[in-house]
Amino acid sequence: MQVFCGIDWAEGHHDVALVDEAGQLVAKKRIKESVEGFTQLVEMLAAAGDSADAPIPVGIETPRGLLVAALRETGRPVFAINPMAVARYRERHSVSRAKSDHADAMVLANILRTDRHVHRVLPADSELARAIAVLARAHQDATWQRTKAVQELRSVLREYYPSFLEALAGSTTNLATPSARAVLAIASTPGAGGRLTKAQIAAALRRAGRQRGIDTTATELKHALRRPQLRQPQLVEQAMGVQTLTLLAALNTACDNVDRLAEAVTAALQQHPDYEVLVSFPGLSETGAARVLAEIGDDRARFSDARALKAYAGSAPVTRASGRSISITHRRIKNDRLAAAGFVWSFMAITNHPPARAHYDQRRDRGDRHPAALRHLFNRLLGQLHHCLATGQLYNETKAFGILEEAVIS
């Protein structure tokens, strides 16, 4: 008789429940996330008939953690079930909205018993692909944190030091650049900036790694920082200068984290067999390719076809039809990390690749707004990526865009 396992995950302990084909409880136990706890779980499964030829499927609410990693190493099928779906299943059996850890474990087991076919087993990605996923997601988080730190710093500077932002307008307005951070470190207030000499600014630029146009840039910054501007009271200005230096320290840390993680994820990606295929696509940098690989994995059986991958990424539209009413909208339930990577990928493609730009312009001419046109381009590129990964081919412009490329060339 087939047995199904449900595990209610928690920080301090895990509740395990086994049910048979009739939904009857076979066994239950509370274990800890330790070697002893995992041994108890394995023994519990073995007593219920678990074997290498017929492993017991396991349902759990998270795809991460040491327990999930250990279960995947044993070769058992592990199903990560969305907690919102578990809540809906729970309401089928408890109108009083009662809840307990043991009952949730039984709900997870019964989900596999009744609807296993509509849930997806965790993909069998390689160890290298999972390592790339850790680094790529950390790099993506660090990039978002850097952007947040830049915006916080810019907001404070606008309140008391707009002349510094205007001084950078001629070269770059990105406060995350090494040159901007180096100059701000020695000119945290309008008073300090107005006292800087050309030699001090040039030395700061050199410390930031600047090699060309140092004298010209230093002269321009010197004059820009000495222009008259509205000022806060002296004590307030000094206080805001201290706040700026604090935010600058956080920004420096964020920038260093991004750089270190970019080096690590690039080195890992270059070892992966799919590296050449991924970086052959226009607009897809090494870090962008790592983000895409992190979300789609390297298990070829994960997506049955390109349509499944597009739905997972949120690039494929959703059709809602009821009676005479039909609406086509973009997907809101998707892999947000992959969708974010796809937006950057598409934007870089239309910037540097004429056929992709022509496709984008064609969608704009049809009435699509900028996000919709980018999403449509991402949808097309994603389908081509699925084909190339499945066949081992590199990106081919002629096959990818066909008549559009010919029109651009002519």
Side-chain angles (χ1 to χ4, degrees):
M1 180 174 292
Q2 177 70 54
V3 176
F4 306 89
C5 175
I7 301 178
D8 182 68
W9 181 91
E11 182 177 349
H13 60 266
H14 311 306
D15 282 84
V16 183
L18 302 180
V19 300
D20 58 19
E21 293 177 344
Q24 297 299 315
L25 180 65
V26 175
K28 67 176 182 177
K29 197 175 190 66
R30 173 169 289 185
I31 64 173
K32 293 184 177 181
E33 192 169 77
S34 62
V35 175
E36 294 78 10
F38 183 72
T39 301
Q40 293 173 359
L41 173 61
V42 172
E43 293 174 350
M44 183 179 177
L45 294 174
D50 180 70
S51 65
D53 298 330
I56 293 177
V58 178
I60 193 169
E61 290 179 294
T62 177
R64 295 177 294 275
L66 290 173
L67 181 62
V68 174
L71 286 170
R72 294 181 70 175
E73 289 299 319
T74 62
R76 292 180 177 83
V78 180
F79 294 79
I81 302 175
N82 191 298
M84 294 182 65
V86 177
R88 301 291 82 78
Y89 274 98
R90 187 190 305 121
E91 292 173 356
R92 294 171 54 186
H93 304 282
S94 177
V95 295
S96 65
R97 309 190 75 175
K99 182 184 182 302
S100 68
D101 295 340
H102 166 64
D104 283 351
M106 286 197 64
V107 168
L108 286 162
N110 279 308
I111 289 174
L112 296 185
R113 179 178 66 88
T114 58
D115 295 323
R116 177 183 176 184
H117 59 286
V118 299
H119 292 278
R120 183 177 298 175
V121 68
L122 287 179
D125 292 330
S126 66
E127 185 176 346
L128 178 57
R130 282 184 276 170
I132 292 173
V134 172
L135 294 171
R137 290 168 183 168
H139 179 261
Q140 193 174 38
D141 289 338
T143 303
W144 289 338
Q145 290 169 4
R146 182 183 63 182
T147 301
K148 179 183 177 182
V150 167
Q151 297 302 330
E152 289 178 346
L153 182 57
R154 180 184 295 276
S155 177
V156 172
L157 290 174
R158 286 180 60 87
E159 291 186 21
Y160 83 106
Y161 202 178
S163 61
F164 184 84
L165 298 176
E166 294 172 0
L168 297 177
S171 55
T172 176
T173 57
N174 188 0
L175 295 174
T177 60
S179 298
R181 289 183 281 132
V183 175
L184 184 58
I186 60 174
S188 59
T189 63
R195 292 190 297 268
L196 288 179
T197 64
K198 175 183 174 182
Q200 290 174 319
I201 298 176
L205 294 175
R206 290 190 181 92
R207 287 195 299 270
R210 188 74 173 264
Q211 296 179 351
R212 298 181 180 179
I214 294 178
D215 291 338
T216 303
T217 304
T219 302
E220 293 175 353
L221 288 175
K222 173 187 172 183
H223 293 306
L225 293 175
R226 293 188 177 186
R227 289 173 188 160
Q229 71 155 59
L230 296 177
R231 301 276 293 271
Q232 293 277 5
Q234 184 177 3
L235 291 179
V236 176
E237 183 179 281
Q238 292 176 356
M240 299 189 81
V242 174
Q243 181 185 15
T244 294
L245 291 176
T246 303
L247 294 174
L248 180 61
L251 177 58
N252 288 334
T253 301
C255 291
D256 292 341
N257 290 339
V258 170
D259 294 339
R260 286 197 297 269
L261 287 168
E263 293 177 1
V265 72
T266 299
L269 178 66
Q270 291 173 351
Q271 303 175 32
H272 198 276
D274 294 337
Y275 170 77
E276 296 294 339
V277 175
L278 288 165
V279 298
S280 67
F281 276 75
L284 198 57
S285 64
E286 290 183 326
T287 54
R291 292 179 185 181
V292 172
L293 178 63
E295 303 310 322
I296 68 175
D298 57 3
D299 181 5
R300 297 291 178 260
R302 181 175 186 176
F303 302 102
S304 57
D305 52 25
R307 294 180 60 186
L309 175 57
K310 293 175 181 179
Y312 178 73
S315 60
V318 175
T319 301
R320 291 182 173 87
S322 178
R324 297 182 180 181
S325 174
I326 299 177
S327 65
I328 301 176
T329 60
H330 69 276
R331 291 180 183 266
R332 299 184 182 276
I333 306 301
K334 58 185 181 300
N335 184 313
D336 292 333
R337 289 185 179 273
L338 182 54
F343 185 89
V344 176
W345 177 11
S346 303
F347 184 80
M348 295 305 298
I350 66 173
T351 305
N352 304 305
H353 189 58
R357 180 71 193 197
H359 181 84
Y360 168 84
D361 291 338
Q362 185 183 77
R363 297 303 307 182
R364 293 283 282 165
D365 293 339
R366 291 185 180 181
D368 285 355
R369 302 188 65 171
H370 175 67
L374 282 182
R375 190 164 52 247
H376 194 279
L377 176 60
F378 174 46
N379 192 61
R380 181 161 187 169
L381 290 171
L382 203 57
Q384 295 161 4
L385 177 62
H386 180 273
H387 173 75
C388 289
L389 290 174
T391 59
Q393 301 181 51
L394 300 182
Y395 172 81
N396 185 292
E397 290 184 354
T398 304
K399 294 181 179 179
F401 289 95
I403 189 172
L404 278 176
E405 183 195 21
E406 296 175 2
V408 171
I409 295 175
S410 60

